[in-house]
Each structure stands twice: as C-alpha cells, then as structure tokens.
Amino acid sequence: MNKKNFSFIIAFIACITLCDCGNTSKNSIPFETPESPKKVLNDFIDATETKPETVSDLIDGFSFGMSEKQYQVHLSKLKKLKGDHVNLDIDGVSYFAYYSKPSFFDNKIYELNVQLFYKGSIQNHVTKEDFNSLTAYFKSVYGSDSLNYMYTEKPISDYPTHHWRKGNLYFKLYMVLIEDDLNSIALEYRNGHAYRSVVKGIQKRDQERRDKREKEIMEAGAVNVSNSSYDASVSQVIDYLKKNLKDPKSYEGIEWSKVKEESYGYSVYHKYRAKNSFGGYMVESQIFHIDFGGNIIKVENVK
C-alpha cells in the first residue's frame, strides 16, 4: 500500500470517528434509538410540561390563555369561507382552514387544532408540496436544531409528522394522506405547562373517585372480584358456570379480560368451551356482569 492511499484511509477513519462522537454528544437527541423511539418522542414532548409559560402567541391572532368567550369573539371576526371554513394566511398563502373546538383548563385555551383543506380556492386541494412549504416556514419560525425539532412517521406516528418545542409550547404539523386529491394538513398547538396541570387534575379526580368507591364497597361489605394471578380467571364466574353449564366437567377456559370496574360492580369478558346438551363442544364468548356482592347479575353473549 503506498503512502498516499494509507493517508486517505487514516483520514476516512478519523472522519467516521468524529461523526460518531458528534452524534452521541451529551446534548443531542438519539432520533433513531433502536430501544424505544416512541419514548424518545414522548420525552421530547414531556419536556415542555416543566418549562415556564413564556410562549402564548399561536396563529391567526389566537393565543394560549384565551377564554372561551374571547376565542369565539376572535373566531367570528375571521374571514368566512364556505361552510365552517375561515381564511388563514400563512407565509403569503391563503388556506381554507377549519378550527376544531379548543381544549380549555380553568377557562383558558391550552390546546388549539386547525386543519387546512384547500389552498387559494376550493378547487385547489392541499398537496405534499404545500406540506413541504409549510414545514420550511415553521422551521424558520421554531428552528430545526435537534434539540427542538423532530420528524416521525409510521410506526411512531400515523402520518408524516414534524414536531417542534419552544419553552412551554409543543407544536406538530402533519399531513393526513387520504387520496391524491383529498388530503388535509393539521396544525396542533399545546401548552405543555397547562397540560401538566390538566393531567394532574384528572389524576386527582380519578383517585378521589377510586377512594370514594372503595369506601362504598367496604361499607357495603362487598367481596373481592379480581383476576387470579395464576390464570387470570375470576372465581365468581367459575362458580357460576359450574352451576349452570350442562356438563361442568367439560369446561375449558380459553381467554379472560381484565376485570373492569362498573357503576354497579364489575364486568369481565370470558371465552371458554364446554359440551352442550347434545354432547358436542361449543365455544362461547360472554361478558359477565357482577355486582359488589359477587353475584352474576347478567350474562351477555358476544359475537
């Protein structure tokens, strides 16, 4: 091997080494982490929940913190088009836009969603080129560095999706591909800080409901209705079948769902096989409804 070729190989190896070091730097986000790319995306989004509320302005004059009345007043002032569509100008291009009802927390907007169906006029459906143009525009607004931008597609997301984060703002842009001439582009904004409060509020509410229910169950002297840790069976259903099957000894369990709490007690799905009156095996799929006392109050056949 001559000296010139040897020097080229050394330089090539050094280049690869430097590139690898850059990709694993402390501040980079491993977009192609084979272990759990979905977790990488979730962590990317969750980071907005702990940021102070520094971003409020969204699009078309809307903002986080608007009350429902303020939202309705502002929406009524936008240029009306066909049906429920309004005009939305983005980067010098006019779109037919549809605003879904926002999500509110303490009467303040924390999620805003808008869909774009047409461009310019009703004859011009949005295309992949429009999607790419919007992507370039929002990269100029929110940036495209690896710390604040991600791109996903199946199986991580249902559609080609661009994700941005900026302080408390999580924003995603994606295209719903239906047919060549019937697509839509969606813009979704979320206030991560407020969203965290919403989640905590829901968790607190659900815990209070569980605590109340457990107290009612204890006071009513209710029995334990749960899946067996051995085979997921439910003893109350097994006892019921033993008493009501034509040939209890022929019973064979196939599948159990998890016991689900209901307002009247519990429900559980069970698939099994057993002999009928003629001695032939039948496979049954049924939902068993159980009261707090452990009694089967209804059996529902599932086709």
Side-chain angles (χ1 to χ4, degrees):
M1 179 183 296
N2 60 44
K3 186 176 180 180
K4 185 177 181 181
N5 289 340
F6 180 79
S7 299
F8 174 79
I9 292 173
I10 293 298
F12 181 74
I13 293 173
C15 179
I16 293 176
T17 303
L18 288 172
C19 289
D20 286 342
C21 290
N23 288 338
T24 56
S25 66
K26 185 176 180 180
N27 292 326
S28 65
I29 293 180
F31 295 115
E32 298 183 4
T33 303
E35 294 79 18
S36 180
K38 186 69 173 178
K39 184 178 184 303
V40 174
L41 175 60
N42 289 337
D43 289 345
F44 177 88
I45 298 171
D46 291 347
T48 63
E49 298 179 12
T50 57
K51 299 295 183 181
E53 296 189 69
T54 56
V55 179
S56 60
D57 293 337
L58 304 178
I59 197 168
D60 215 14
F62 291 101
S63 62
F64 289 140
M66 269 187 167
S67 67
E68 187 164 3
K69 182 178 180 180
Q70 290 172 327
Y71 166 78
Q72 293 293 345
V73 169
H74 183 71
L75 183 65
S76 68
K77 294 179 180 179
L78 301 181
K79 181 181 177 181
K80 297 293 186 294
L81 300 176
K82 184 177 180 180
D84 293 328
H85 293 83
V86 296
N87 182 78
L88 173 58
D89 292 326
I90 304 177
D91 196 27
V93 179
S94 296
Y95 294 92
F96 273 62
Y98 172 76
Y99 284 90
S100 302
K101 184 178 180 181
S103 297
F104 293 89
F105 175 66
D106 285 344
N107 196 31
K108 296 178 181 179
I109 289 179
Y110 72 89
E111 282 186 336
L112 180 70
N113 304 328
V114 57
Q115 285 184 292
L116 312 178
F117 293 96
Y118 310 106
K119 180 183 69 174
S121 70
I122 198 168
Q123 282 77 29
N124 298 326
H125 296 269
V126 292
T127 64
K128 291 182 180 179
E129 287 72 23
D130 297 318
F131 181 60
N132 293 336
S133 295
L134 286 168
T135 300
Y137 169 73
F138 284 112
K139 281 184 177 181
S140 72
V141 174
Y142 298 122
S144 58
D145 61 283
S146 61
L147 289 179
N148 298 299
Y149 167 76
M150 286 185 69
Y151 171 76
T152 59
E153 54 189 28
K154 286 186 177 181
I156 308 306
S157 51
D158 293 332
Y159 306 103
T161 306
H162 298 273
H163 310 259
W164 286 270
R165 64 183 181 187
K166 183 178 181 181
N168 56 291
L169 169 68
Y170 166 60
F171 170 65
K172 70 177 179 179
L173 173 76
Y174 60 93
M175 186 166 195
V176 181
L177 303 172
I178 305 173
E179 298 175 4
D180 290 338
D181 61 346
L182 184 59
N183 303 308
S184 69
I185 298 173
L187 292 69
E188 296 189 6
Y189 298 84
R190 177 196 290 176
N191 183 346
H193 188 89
Y195 179 76
R196 188 179 186 87
S197 299
V198 172
V199 172
K200 285 185 175 180
I202 292 174
Q203 291 174 340
K204 181 180 179 181
R205 180 202 65 192
D206 290 347
Q207 185 60 52
E208 290 175 346
R209 288 179 177 177
R210 285 193 293 269
D211 292 344
K212 181 181 178 181
R213 198 157 185 275
E214 288 177 4
K215 182 179 179 181
E216 292 173 347
I217 291 172
M218 293 295 293
E219 292 175 349
V223 301
N224 178 46
V225 178
S226 60
N227 297 97
S228 164
S229 59
Y230 174 68
D231 59 3
S233 63
V234 178
S235 61
Q236 289 82 3
V237 174
I238 297 294
D239 292 341
Y240 175 86
L241 292 174
K242 286 181 178 179
K243 295 176 182 178
N244 290 276
L245 289 175
K246 297 295 182 181
D247 185 353
K249 292 183 179 180
S250 67
Y251 163 82
E252 296 177 18
I254 299 175
E255 180 183 354
W256 293 89
S257 72
K258 289 185 178 181
V259 172
K260 180 181 178 182
E261 294 185 354
E262 307 284 2
S263 59
Y264 53 81
Y266 311 89
S267 66
V268 63
Y269 165 80
H270 182 37
K271 184 177 182 180
Y272 63 92
R273 67 195 299 261
K275 288 183 178 180
N276 58 21
S277 301
F278 302 100
Y281 275 97
M282 296 288 291
V283 175
E284 299 287 352
S285 295
Q286 298 174 324
I287 296 176
F288 294 84
H289 300 269
I290 310 165
D291 66 18
F292 290 118
N295 305 299
I296 306 297
I297 56 177
K298 182 181 178 182
V299 179
E300 182 181 353
N301 290 318
V302 179
K303 294 183 180 180

